[in-house]
Amino acid sequence: MGRLSTIKLAIESFTVDGDDIIGKLIEIWERFKVPVLVPFLRTLMYVSLAMSVMLFIEMVYMSLVIAFNYLFGRKIEKRYKWEEFKDEIESGSFVYPLVLVQIPMFNEKEVYQLSIGAACGLSWPADRIVIQVLDDSTDPIIKGMVQVECEKWACKGTNIHYQVRDNRKGYKAGALKEGLEHCYANECEYVAIFDADFQPEPDFLKKTIPFLHYNSELGLVQARWKFECEGSPLVRQIPTFTAT
């Protein structure tokens, strides 16, 4: 009640009278500052403190989980069969399964070159890998840029296909589904999917495909995500823990 009375008094006392307007504004500010602004700032402080505590607890929890798993968890290589593919004299590169790499895109102007370049740079026999760029971009300029990038890699001998469609049914998931309907995709034994901002390491397929190839009970291999936040504040490093 006292706070409302102070605000009402401040408003009623404000009269525009020539050069005295600045003085009136200062007077109103002084009356508003304590009953209104201070409680608001105090509330924000408590909220920020609570969020900081929550972030700290999450970091401690995830650190303990990671440490426990590292010390006592079974290595994935011991749980499943894994052998490196090696060229054979008779079979040559055909010992490697044929892999389809799908990259769905939608107006990815900032990252399309990095993702396509990373996919085309995967360490896998050139005749045993197919890169499929599924472009649902609505911006014709970006669409043209992505197509030119694909043509550039095709000129280098990369087996890359640039695919577009006349609708966005199902969005990226729909594009992936339609991408599998192409004849060359049906010939592939395995499929690797990278979002437009993913940059897989060159040995990604060599590390993951053997798990699928030698363990028939497995249908999916999910790799670890690593976020590029080096040199940033600690708060931005938290996704590295939570996405492991």
Side-chain angles (χ1 to χ4, degrees):
M1 186 67 180
R3 184 181 303 174
L4 293 176
S5 300
T6 303
I7 296 174
K8 182 178 180 181
L9 179 61
I11 295 175
E12 291 177 349
S13 63
F14 178 73
T15 56
V16 181
D17 186 15
D19 297 335
D20 198 37
I21 185 172
I22 296 179
K24 291 294 183 180
L25 289 174
I26 295 176
E27 182 181 351
I28 291 177
W29 166 249
E30 292 296 332
R31 294 185 179 183
F32 265 95
K33 182 170 60 176
V34 175
V36 177
L37 187 60
V38 172
F40 176 71
L41 293 177
R42 185 182 293 114
T43 301
L44 289 181
M45 181 188 68
Y46 289 145
V47 171
S48 299
L49 181 61
M51 293 180 64
S52 299
V53 172
M54 291 171 60
L55 292 174
F56 176 75
I57 293 174
E58 181 185 12
M59 289 183 60
V60 172
Y61 170 75
M62 293 305 301
S63 298
L64 292 175
V65 171
I66 293 172
F68 180 84
N69 184 66
Y70 180 80
L71 295 174
F72 304 104
R74 293 180 59 190
K75 298 293 184 181
I76 190 171
E77 292 83 358
K78 295 181 179 180
R79 296 171 56 190
Y80 300 101
K81 182 180 179 180
W82 187 93
E83 293 181 9
E84 183 179 357
F85 293 112
K86 296 181 180 180
D87 292 339
E88 297 180 356
I89 298 178
E90 296 181 356
S91 302
S93 62
F94 283 92
V95 70
Y96 290 82
L98 186 58
V99 178
L100 173 68
V101 177
Q102 291 186 306
I103 310 175
M105 291 194 172
F106 178 70
N107 295 332
E108 313 286 354
K109 181 179 179 180
E110 293 78 11
V111 296
Y112 75 94
Q113 286 181 309
L114 294 175
S115 58
I116 294 176
C120 294
L122 289 169
S123 180
W124 201 257
D127 60 335
R128 307 302 295 166
I129 185 172
V130 181
I131 310 296
Q132 186 184 65
V133 178
L134 306 164
D135 191 8
D136 273 358
S137 298
T138 54
D139 188 326
I141 296 178
I142 298 177
K143 183 174 291 188
M145 295 166 63
V146 176
Q147 183 176 5
V148 169
E149 184 69 15
C150 293
E151 292 174 351
K152 183 185 76 173
W153 283 100
C155 292
K156 296 180 180 180
T158 303
N159 188 0
I160 184 170
H161 295 261
Y162 175 73
Q163 306 288 167
V164 296
R165 53 183 185 156
D166 56 4
N167 63 81
R168 293 199 63 224
K169 182 179 179 181
Y171 302 102
K172 285 189 176 182
L176 293 170
K177 180 178 180 295
E178 291 189 23
L180 295 175
E181 297 174 358
H182 294 278
C183 295
Y184 62 85
N186 292 328
E187 299 175 359
C188 298
E189 299 176 59
Y190 301 104
V191 179
I193 301 175
F194 302 116
D195 204 359
D197 57 349
F198 280 24
Q199 299 175 43
E201 296 293 335
D203 60 352
F204 176 86
L205 295 180
K206 288 188 174 181
K207 287 183 176 180
T208 56
I209 295 298
F211 285 110
L212 295 170
H213 189 73
Y214 294 112
N215 301 275
S216 59
E217 71 274 19
L218 296 181
L220 173 70
V221 174
Q222 170 66 59
R224 180 180 184 270
W225 290 14
K226 181 180 179 181
F227 293 85
E228 296 294 336
C229 296
E230 296 182 4
S232 60
L234 181 60
V235 172
R236 292 182 59 191
Q237 296 286 352
I238 291 176
T240 302
F241 293 93
T242 58
T244 302

